[in-house]
Amino acid sequence: MNYTMSFGVIKDIRFDNVGSQMLAATIAPTSSTVSTMDNSVIGALKEETTFGFSYDAAGNLTSDDIRD
């Protein structure tokens, strides 16, 4: 038995950076959903979400919006 799988855009992520420092990562809403092997469904975001990053004077990451 053969199976064919195809996916549209699963995640649309934009990275804004200066040199090697990431300033922000923005995840845009998509219309796609993905079913996993146990048939649970991972839905698309309903609104754009941006995570920011901060650095000290030496260039070390000091904080990000991803972690609490």
Side-chain angles (χ1 to χ4, degrees):
M1 183 176 281
N2 293 327
Y3 293 97
T4 302
M5 299 178 86
S6 63
F7 298 94
V9 174
I10 295 173
K11 292 288 180 197
D12 184 8
I13 304 173
R14 183 182 70 240
F15 297 100
D16 298 317
N17 60 314
V18 174
S20 62
Q21 293 181 339
M22 186 174 357
L23 302 179
T26 302
I27 304 172
T30 62
S31 59
S32 299
T33 57
V34 178
S35 294
T36 61
M37 293 298 284
D38 63 354
N39 292 325
S40 61
V41 175
I42 303 167
L45 294 174
K46 299 203 183 311
E47 60 187 44
E48 186 170 279
T49 305
T50 300
F51 302 98
F53 302 88
S54 299
Y55 299 87
D56 63 16
N60 300 305
L61 182 67
T62 57
S63 67
D64 63 60
D65 292 341
I66 296 173
R67 293 180 283 171
D68 291 332

